[in-house]
Structure formats: C-alpha cells, structure tokens
Amino acid sequence: MPPITNDWAEYLKEEYKKPYYRKLYETIMQEYQTKLIFPPADDIFNAFHFTPVKDVKVVILGQDPYHGDGQAHGLSFSVKPGVEAPPSLVNIYTELNEDLGCYIPNNGYLTKWAKQGVMMLNTVLTVQAHRANSHRGIGWEEFTDAAIRVLNEQDRPIVFLLWGRPAQRKKALLNNPKHLILEAPHPSPLSAYRGFFGCRHFSKTNEFLKENGVEPIDWQIENI
C-alpha cells in the first residue's frame, strides 16, 4: 500500500496511529499475501491520490470495489480502459445521457472526473476476488468515515452523492450547511429503476456548483 502523500496525509495522520488501523494494516497485508485481493495493492488509495482535499468539489460514495478480475482500480464505479463497463456504470451513463445529453462512451475509465475534483470513494477499499463485501467490518469503514468527516469540515461547498443505503448511512456524518447532499437508489440493475433513473444528480450538482461560483464538472467521458 503506497502511502498517501498529498494533503490527505496531514488530515489523516492521526488515523494511522490508532489501534484499529494497525490491525487493519496487518489484516490487509496478510490477505494480499495469501489470497487474490482487488484492487492491486498500489491502487488501494487512488481515490485519495487522484483527488486532494483542496480540490474536492463532489463526492460519490460507493460500497466496496468491484470483485471481478481486472475491474477495480481504486475509484468507485470506475474500471480501467479495455474492461467492459459493469452494469451499475452502464446505468450511470444512461442517466448522464438522459440528464445532460452525454454520449455513452466505449470505456468506464472515470479518472477525468477524479482530476476535476470528483472524489470516488468506496466505504471499504479492498475485496476478495469474487466475494462482494468480503472485507466489510475489518476497519476500512472507520478509515473512510474519518475521510468523510474531513470533507464535511471543509469551509466551502461540496456535493455529496449518496446512492443506495450503505452510502446514505453516511449522511449522519454530514452536517455542514455549506454542502449539498443528494440521495438516490443505487445505480445497480436491482435498484436503478426505483429512482436512480431520473434523479438528475449530475445537472443538480453542476447547478449548485455554478450558484456557488465553482467551476462545474465536465461529466462527459470520452471514447478511447
């Protein structure tokens, strides 16, 4: 696990000293040595590496990484070039097309968003291959809650997109009146039809950013 070296390092330094984190670190090291774990160890903290605290405009909270071969690379909902877009991401693209007219690209690589200030954070940062939620409860939630609290305390407008119940449970950590919290069902095929489709979160996010004098997000992922 390469250390986080941008401004997140200062904000999270106290977490590394806590007993839960030491135990988490040992557990994760053991898991990587004995099992197939996603994402690759060098990618675990990509959500932090790609989007420093000072740049965060939007937070998309996911649950845990994709557990299929070669999918996860440390940004929630994103997959590397050449990997087929998973169903949840297909539904995100469908909503983007309906909401903002974005064309549906031939890839699911969302680093363009991250570099514009969209932090794509899973609440659990690792997973065993082909076993969804297998690393739930080993300590990641405490670490990512600390990150969410850091963002909540920022004295500027940030949009939090909470899709699905696990993400919406984090609403309790968000009490800064400067921020906008948008909730919808998860974009998974199991729930997208219950209100993710038609939520218009992307246009609502940009309207809020513009109203607050912040550069909106260019949500179009281009074809590769």
Side-chain angles (χ1 to χ4, degrees):
M1 296 198 296
I4 300 168
T5 54
N6 58 20
D7 59 1
W8 276 110
E10 182 65 23
Y11 283 106
L12 295 172
K13 65 182 182 183
E14 294 305 314
E15 296 305 303
Y16 303 132
K17 302 173 187 173
K18 294 178 180 177
Y20 89 84
Y21 190 85
R22 285 199 289 274
K23 188 174 177 208
L24 169 64
Y25 185 86
E26 288 166 10
T27 301
I28 291 299
M29 289 296 102
Q30 178 70 13
E31 287 280 288
Y32 272 92
Q33 285 163 15
T34 57
K35 298 175 182 136
L36 181 57
I37 304 298
F38 299 132
D42 285 353
D43 290 342
I44 291 173
F45 292 124
N46 273 353
F48 299 88
H49 296 315
F50 276 97
T51 317
V53 176
K54 66 180 176 55
D55 294 341
V56 176
K57 300 176 182 179
V58 182
V59 181
I60 297 178
L61 275 182
Q63 192 166 338
D64 66 337
Y66 293 128
H67 55 84
D69 294 329
Q71 292 181 309
H73 70 105
L75 304 179
S76 62
F77 296 105
S78 181
V79 291
K80 285 190 170 176
V83 177
E84 185 178 353
S88 292
L89 182 52
V90 170
N91 287 341
I92 289 170
Y93 283 159
T94 300
E95 175 59 21
L96 260 174
N97 176 257
E98 289 290 316
D99 187 12
L100 291 172
C102 295
Y103 70 80
I104 295 174
N106 63 2
N107 69 93
Y109 194 47
L110 306 181
T111 54
K112 176 183 176 178
W113 295 355
K115 289 172 182 173
Q116 293 180 83
V118 181
M119 186 170 194
M120 286 171 280
L121 181 66
N122 282 314
T123 54
V124 172
L125 299 186
T126 54
V127 68
Q128 277 184 38
H130 317 302
R131 288 190 58 205
N133 285 321
S134 46
H135 281 178
R136 185 170 59 192
I138 65 171
W140 280 129
E141 292 92 343
E142 201 164 338
F143 184 75
T144 55
D145 280 2
I148 293 166
R149 286 191 192 96
V150 167
L151 295 169
N152 177 62
E153 289 162 8
Q154 297 306 300
D155 188 29
R156 65 178 194 277
I158 296 174
V159 183
F160 290 85
L161 303 183
L162 308 183
W163 298 336
R165 284 206 189 89
Q168 287 160 13
R169 283 199 283 270
K170 303 302 180 184
K171 191 177 179 181
L173 304 173
L174 304 172
N175 59 10
N176 186 331
K178 291 202 167 184
H179 302 329
L180 175 66
I181 299 168
L182 296 175
E183 299 178 71
H186 195 276
S188 153
L190 300 174
S191 54
Y193 290 93
R194 294 205 297 265
F196 178 78
F197 291 136
C199 71
R200 298 181 57 82
H201 278 188
F202 303 102
S203 58
K204 288 175 181 175
T205 293
N206 279 355
E207 284 160 16
F208 176 80
L209 293 175
K210 285 189 277 194
E211 283 166 11
N212 285 279
V214 179
E215 183 79 17
I217 306 300
D218 175 6
W219 293 104
Q220 179 68 67
I221 299 295
E222 284 86 10
N223 284 336
I224 294 177

